[in-house]
Amino acid sequence: MSTLVKNNNKKADIDDFDHAHDEKPRGIMRWLLTTNHKDIGTLYLGFSLLMFFVGGAMAMVIRAELFQPGMQIVDPNFFNQMTTVHGLIMVFGAVMPAFVGLANWMVPLMIGAPDMALPRLNNWSFWILPAAFSVLIASLFMPGGGPNFGWTFYAPLSTTYAPDSTALFVFAVHIMGISSILGAINIIVTIMNLRAPGMSYMKMPMFVWTWFITAFLLIVAIPVLAAAVTMILTDKYFATSFFSAAGGGDPVLFQHIFWFFGHPEVYIMILPSFGIISTIIPAFSRKKLFGYSSMVYATASIALLSFVVWAHHMFTTGMPLAAELFFMYSTILIAVPTGVKVFNWVATMWRGAISFEVPMLFAIAFIILFTIGGFSGLMLGITPLDFQYHDTYFVVAHFHYVLVTGAIFSIMAGAYFWLPKWTGYMYDERLAKLHFWLSLISVNILFFPMHFLGLAGMPRRIPDYALQFADFNQLVSLGGFAFGISQLLFVVVVVKCVRGGAKAQEKPWDGAEGFEWELPSPVPYHTFSTPPKVK
Amino acid sequence: MYKIIITFALLVFSSIATAQSDYNLPLGVTDISQKVYNLHMTIFYVCIAIGLVVFGLMFFAMIKHRKSKGVKAAQFHESTLIEIIWTVIPFFILIALAVPATQTLIEMEDNSNADITIKITGSQWKWHYEYFDHDFGFYSLLSTSPEQIANTKEKGVNYLLEVDKPLVLPINKKVRFLVTADDVIHSWWVPAFAVKQDANPGFINEAWTRINEPGVYRGQCAELCGKDHGFMPIVVEVLPEKEYQQWLDSQLSSVLLAKEKEQQDLNSGMTMEEAMTLGEQVYLSLCAACHMPSGEGIPGAFPALKNSKIALGDVKKHIDIVVNGVEKSAMQAYGQQLSLKKLAAVITYERNAWGNNTGDLVQANDVQQPANK
Ligand SMILES: [Cu+2]
Ligand SMILES: [Cu+2]
């Protein structure tokens, strides 16, 4: 960077740089060898979209089987494989890579860095992901089938009683974990070292802040997951007894380890959402985020609290009363910082000048529907109530509200928000609005009745059910098919937008703020070879 | 337009409030379940109230403060006072909720002074109930026919929620449950009692209930426990005390009868035809879940018995596996679950069905020797 000629005209500077160094190979090699954060961001996002449809197809199989009482389409063992692999793919293949993709694209642009700090590592952390998911999906075709013990893989169902293919599942999870850890290290190093001069921590954009905290969560949580799957591996194949009472172990120990990873994991999937929403709501309200520093502190306290609530997933395992009380109190305490977030978004909209472009529509839907998921979360956190709700469709409704209408809606919002910047074209507003409204309606038909199914007594992870659950299941399945089909519209909008359309300006959203909007659209291949000035 | 929306909203709310049993938690038949229900409704209303305020403000802003109306955005932001207010108020709401929750929880966890103790053991895919105070017990299995599940027969009202032999309990007694499992984790759940307790293999959990009203209450296994997790329901028949005592007496005398019958079976043999008919019955109800009705198993998970070395080979080995099970595998020990006659019959069946034509006829007497070794 030091060799660069000082140039006051930023745009000309970027162009010069582009010509001098834009030596990317053509075709497939460009993507295989790329160390460019924008290319890698695109790869992550594309991969995540693909996995969203693979996992979605499995959800369609589940909903088709549950359309009517009785076994129609698949057998119970295959059904269990579908629920398991659907969960694994959506969590590790769709939601997490989408956020890493957004981080790759946006973090360097937002902090004025030329690229990620560790570009080669970046290439590696992406390319091991397709390998991991190939292994996972291939395990479905092994004799005895793929993983069928739920995405939470409780022992001993996942050890002594698991299919022979379990080693492949363990291997796949290990690779996914390595990918996540490498990605997280890269993001932390980038944020700590490559911020433009003058950008102190308390001046970083919210999306950067939330990802910064998320990356630390990843580094702490993922090794615990790696330990859990390793113990599963040795219990199943090497005669250890971590989780078997006969050898002095304890099956509940597995759940403690798993959820010590698992609860931070749910915040790994929602904190970056908070960042995206905190970017979009001010932009379309044309008003500053109401409380920047309290949002940062709220995010940090949610992250810290997320390490002391894990056993709220285990109230029925027979914990001592004192532990049940502790985990109830710590869990409902999370409602406080989460409330601060929601109140802040509403206060930001208050007396703004609001307009309703598609990113804003998704962001508003996020606030409402995520809050509904938060309400059911609060109810689940109350131990005596959890005894009734636990392992029913009420829980299924809860986590799909926070993951689909939470995480995924925020990803959609972010994608629409930054698409013009990435491609240089505006997306088709009419089709995008259609996508939004169809998604909004169908997703609620899909998940809202699940609350009632759970309260009425339908357990989760069952391939067939009693007759009183038939009407609502049919409705839920119809909502599911509609939601699945609606997402094809998203692909149409994205492909159209990549191909062409109305030219996007440098800053297509008049209320948006940040370095990324000072760059031309589409963003040049190389940016910020000289760091921008913080105003 | 607004009127329609409001009427609709009122309809929805009143139906939620009154649809007590169909799409809401059941009120249940124990003091605890009723407390849990009330707590559930309280928190539900608190959430609705918070939601109305927050979303109300948000929609107000969305309607009044829109750019298309020509408004100019205000530029206020940051207010420590407001931040403190909206941190503290939720905190107090939470305390108000935590107090009754804590009280209910402490009551739920008080397992002392039980009148009756029942040991519940889950295994793939059935429940075993043992009456601790009387030294007898029985297995409880799904009784819905496979034809109903396969949609070739009309489904009954209690489809998937019916068993061959329900757990029977009296009203107004404190019943303590000791819950455990033989293989994987299961979870014993009866919503009407607000009891859900995981059954962990190798460990014993406690739970209790005191039921106020006689009746039949149904639940299901709540923890994923393998292929037929969706097919291991729980049925509890609750009787007035007197009838319960009668039921108990009749059970105890039939236990004695069964013991006598066992002795007779040892002396008198079955014909091949008898053995095959009884064997098929047992096989379909207990073994087919894993080894499949065709005897072909599920490759990679459950071995085939058709043409298997065991089923065609040494009878003693075969008897040993069925009676004692295979350690560290899903193959349970059936020695305690089935009578000698049934064991003999199912082994005979496996050795002669699906083209396994060994011609071997196993008798109760043959089974007894290895069982007693
Ligand atoms: Cu959690
Ligand atoms: Cu189960």
Side-chain angles (χ1 to χ4, degrees):
Chain A
M1 250 181 275
S2 53
T3 56
L4 269 176
V5 194
K6 270 234 168 78
N7 193 331
N8 287 335
N9 183 336
K10 199 159 59 213
K11 259 187 229 154
D13 182 19
I14 288 159
D15 284 342
D16 287 351
F17 195 82
D18 207 24
H19 287 299
H21 292 261
D22 187 6
E23 49 198 31
K24 53 188 183 220
R26 301 269 147 221
I28 182 87
M29 288 321 270
R30 164 179 172 190
W31 298 103
L32 277 177
L33 301 180
T34 183
T35 54
N36 180 292
H37 74 101
K38 302 180 184 81
D39 279 357
I40 294 176
T42 306
L43 283 172
Y44 265 112
L45 289 171
F47 178 74
S48 133
L49 190 60
L50 178 69
M51 285 298 117
F52 182 53
F53 281 99
V54 174
M58 295 176 179
M60 296 299 110
V61 173
I62 295 170
R63 282 323 316 176
E65 178 56 55
L66 292 174
F67 188 66
Q68 283 182 336
M71 298 304 298
Q72 281 93 13
I73 300 171
V74 295
D75 64 81
N77 193 38
F78 189 72
F79 182 90
N80 287 346
Q81 293 172 48
M82 288 293 102
T83 54
T84 305
V85 182
H86 161 75
L88 289 167
I89 287 188
M90 286 309 198
V91 168
F92 296 104
V95 173
M96 289 171 71
F99 283 133
V100 181
L102 289 174
N104 255 292
W105 252 106
M106 302 318 297
V107 166
L109 297 186
M110 286 177 161
I111 63 174
D115 202 309
M116 296 295 280
L118 310 165
R120 295 211 173 114
L121 190 77
N122 206 8
N123 170 293
W124 185 233
S125 34
F126 172 74
W127 276 111
I128 59 180
L129 262 192
F133 283 91
S134 309
V135 170
L136 180 66
I137 292 169
S139 78
L140 285 172
F141 300 96
M142 303 288 144
N148 57 5
F149 27 68
W151 85 276
T152 50
F153 56 105
Y154 281 9
L157 190 61
S158 57
T159 55
T160 314
Y161 300 86
D164 294 343
S165 68
T166 303
L168 294 179
F169 155 81
V170 170
F171 187 43
V173 172
H174 267 306
I175 307 178
M176 294 168 204
I178 294 173
S179 161
S180 293
I181 293 180
L182 297 183
I185 291 176
N186 208 346
I187 287 169
I188 292 178
V189 176
T190 306
I191 294 175
M192 289 178 73
N193 295 295
L194 296 187
R195 277 170 292 131
M199 181 179 277
S200 63
Y201 281 108
M202 288 314 273
K203 280 191 182 154
M204 293 195 310
M206 272 315 289
F207 180 67
V208 179
W209 249 119
T210 52
W211 240 116
F212 191 49
I213 294 172
T214 304
F216 280 102
L217 286 185
L218 277 167
I219 288 184
V220 179
I222 298 284
V224 181
L225 172 68
V229 288
T230 307
M231 285 185 261
I232 291 290
L233 185 80
T234 60
D235 261 18
K236 180 160 175 64
Y237 298 97
F238 303 107
T240 58
S241 301
F242 292 108
F243 309 129
S244 150
D250 183 350
V252 177
L253 172 67
F254 173 82
Q255 298 179 32
H256 281 292
I257 298 173
F258 179 83
W259 287 113
F260 190 82
F261 146 79
H263 194 86
E265 169 69 19
V266 309
Y267 287 100
I268 287 165
M269 293 189 285
I270 204 67
L271 294 187
S273 302
F274 291 168
I276 296 170
I277 301 305
S278 302
T279 312
I280 291 175
I281 293 287
F284 295 95
S285 306
R286 293 164 185 80
K287 190 162 158 272
K288 261 201 161 70
L289 187 63
F290 179 77
Y292 170 86
S293 41
S294 71
M295 287 297 243
V296 172
Y297 298 137
T299 310
S301 26
I302 292 175
L304 286 177
L305 278 175
S306 78
F307 283 106
V308 293
V309 298
W310 76 89
H312 63 209
H313 299 270
M314 304 165 51
F315 285 140
T316 60
T317 56
M319 289 195 296
L321 176 65
E324 287 177 343
L325 288 174
F326 172 81
F327 284 105
M328 170 166 78
Y329 300 148
S330 61
T331 299
I332 60 179
L333 196 59
I334 292 197
V336 173
T338 313
V340 168
K341 297 234 140 210
V342 175
F343 301 144
N344 256 295
W345 291 321
V346 176
T348 305
M349 290 167 72
W350 191 255
R351 292 190 46 215
I354 305 172
S355 59
F356 298 92
E357 287 84 349
V358 179
M360 184 65 165
L361 290 175
F362 271 103
I364 292 171
F366 169 96
I367 297 180
I368 296 174
L369 299 176
F370 172 78
T371 305
I372 292 178
F375 286 147
S376 55
L378 176 67
M379 297 168 85
L380 283 158
I382 307 279
T383 315
L385 299 182
D386 182 72
F387 282 115
Q388 289 285 45
Y389 308 143
H390 178 67
D391 267 340
T392 68
Y393 261 78
F394 192 80
V395 179
V396 180
H398 161 70
F399 67 73
H400 282 95
Y401 264 87
V402 292
L403 279 174
V404 178
T405 58
I408 290 180
F409 268 33
S410 78
I411 293 166
M412 297 279 179
Y416 281 117
F417 189 57
W418 287 305
L419 258 177
K421 181 55 53 183
W422 299 336
T423 64
Y425 300 110
M426 297 306 288
Y427 54 81
D428 184 328
E429 183 79 14
R430 250 192 45 239
L431 272 185
K433 282 220 159 102
L434 186 66
H435 170 227
F436 169 74
W437 285 109
L438 287 178
S439 300
L440 179 73
I441 295 166
S442 58
V443 88
N444 282 294
I445 299 176
L446 167 56
F447 296 125
F448 206 75
M450 287 186 182
H451 292 111
F452 301 118
L453 281 173
L455 294 176
M458 180 167 162
R460 68 192 279 204
R461 294 168 164 166
I462 57 174
D464 193 5
Y465 47 82
L467 299 182
Q468 71 260 35
F469 305 130
D471 304 352
F472 270 24
N473 267 297
Q474 202 155 70
L475 187 66
V476 165
S477 286
L478 290 174
F481 303 143
F483 184 70
I485 292 169
S486 309
Q487 300 322 303
L488 294 172
L489 264 181
F490 180 66
V491 180
V492 174
V493 177
V494 172
V495 169
K496 268 186 81 174
C497 185
V498 172
R499 290 264 191 88
K503 277 262 181 244
Q505 289 156 5
E506 202 169 274
K507 184 167 156 181
W509 320 117
D510 56 317
E513 276 183 28
F515 289 146
E516 73 263 39
W517 305 112
E518 289 164 20
L519 296 166
S521 303
V523 205
Y525 198 56
H526 294 288
T527 41
F528 294 133
S529 12
T530 25
K533 276 239 157 45
V534 177
K535 274 176 267 170
Chain B
M1 181 65 193
Y2 278 107
K3 262 195 190 146
I4 297 176
I5 294 177
I6 290 169
T7 350
F8 182 73
L10 280 178
L11 258 171
V12 170
F13 272 104
S14 57
S15 65
I16 289 175
T18 52
Q20 197 269 102
S21 59
D22 276 2
Y23 296 112
N24 198 353
L25 275 189
L27 186 55
V29 290
T30 67
D31 294 352
I32 290 284
S33 73
Q34 283 158 13
K35 279 186 185 157
V36 167
Y37 174 83
N38 290 332
L39 197 57
H40 159 75
M41 290 316 289
T42 311
I43 298 191
F44 175 68
Y45 288 129
V46 169
C47 289
I48 298 255
I50 299 174
L52 283 179
V53 173
V54 176
F55 301 151
L57 287 172
M58 203 169 137
F59 274 98
F60 184 87
M62 276 156 61
I63 291 163
K64 292 282 173 191
H65 307 151
R66 51 206 298 169
K67 193 185 166 213
S68 55
K69 288 193 134 189
V71 294
K72 264 235 142 59
Q75 282 311 328
F76 65 87
H77 64 98
E78 304 279 345
S79 158
T80 315
L81 179 69
I82 292 182
E83 298 281 358
I84 289 176
I85 292 175
W86 67 36
T87 308
V88 170
I89 293 182
F91 191 75
F92 282 109
I93 296 179
L94 289 180
I95 292 181
L97 294 178
V99 171
T102 305
Q103 285 165 344
T104 310
L105 184 62
I106 289 174
E107 246 180 280
M108 288 174 108
E109 294 290 331
D110 174 15
N111 294 302
S112 59
N113 299 323
D115 302 314
I116 298 174
T117 300
I118 309 278
K119 184 175 174 212
I120 302 174
T121 311
S123 64
Q124 287 180 328
W125 291 281
K126 54 188 173 280
W127 295 101
H128 186 208
Y129 299 115
E130 285 163 278
Y131 288 70
F132 242 48
D133 317 277
H134 299 283
D135 200 25
F136 94 101
F138 52 84
Y139 284 85
S140 180
L141 275 89
L142 175 75
S143 62
T144 302
S145 69
E147 292 80 21
Q148 289 185 33
I149 296 172
N151 308 306
T152 51
K153 244 194 188 163
E154 197 169 339
K155 298 179 174 42
V157 249
N158 291 319
Y159 176 71
L160 295 189
L161 293 179
E162 50 199 349
V163 296
D164 55 353
K165 209 162 171 347
L167 174 66
V168 178
L169 295 176
I171 56 167
N172 296 333
K173 291 269 187 218
K174 184 158 181 178
V175 184
R176 182 171 63 142
F177 301 115
L178 300 177
V179 188
T180 184
D182 280 339
D183 37 42
V184 299
I185 302 173
H186 305 263
S187 190
W188 196 83
W189 178 36
V190 178
F193 307 160
V195 170
K196 183 184 283 143
Q197 190 57 256
D198 285 7
N200 299 326
F203 293 84
I204 291 181
N205 275 330
E206 275 183 293
W208 68 272
T209 190
R210 183 196 294 272
I211 305 149
N212 299 332
E213 283 165 47
V216 178
Y217 306 105
R218 295 167 201 277
Q220 280 177 272
C221 175
E223 181 61 60
L224 177 64
C225 55
K227 182 168 89 57
D228 284 353
H229 163 58
F231 304 92
M232 56 182 289
I234 294 150
V235 180
V236 185
E237 201 180 328
V238 179
L239 301 175
E241 267 159 274
K242 239 197 176 150
E243 288 169 43
Y244 172 74
Q245 205 53 49
Q246 284 166 2
W247 175 85
L248 199 61
D249 293 341
S250 74
Q251 290 299 305
L252 292 173
S253 52
S254 66
V255 169
L256 287 180
L257 269 178
K259 280 205 180 119
E260 274 169 34
K261 185 110 197 322
E262 191 95 291
Q263 279 307 316
Q264 281 172 16
D265 290 341
L266 280 182
N267 303 326
S268 66
M270 296 178 277
T271 66
M272 190 66 168
E273 218 165 290
E274 279 169 357
M276 287 298 281
T277 320
L278 179 62
E280 182 172 16
Q281 268 173 26
V282 175
Y283 183 83
L284 290 178
S285 74
L286 281 178
C287 321
C290 295
H291 297 292
M292 306 311 281
S294 63
E296 284 164 338
I298 298 178
F302 306 116
L305 298 178
K306 183 179 175 175
N307 289 327
S308 97
K309 276 197 192 114
I310 304 282
L312 296 178
D314 183 14
V315 184
K316 284 224 172 71
K317 191 90 211 295
H318 191 169
I319 295 175
D320 177 56
I321 284 188
V322 178
V323 171
N324 299 315
V326 180
E327 217 175 296
K328 286 222 146 206
S329 89
M331 182 61 201
Q332 307 168 1
Y334 285 92
Q336 300 298 318
Q337 303 186 22
L338 292 170
S339 67
L340 293 174
K341 185 173 173 183
K342 283 185 173 167
L343 285 168
V346 76
I347 294 167
T348 305
Y349 178 75
E350 286 177 352
R351 299 182 74 78
N352 294 286
W354 327 293
N356 284 359
N357 297 320
T358 59
D360 296 339
L361 174 58
V362 182
Q363 296 290 3
N365 216 350
D366 306 324
V367 180
Q368 196 195 21
Q369 281 136 14
N372 292 346
K373 80 173 171 217

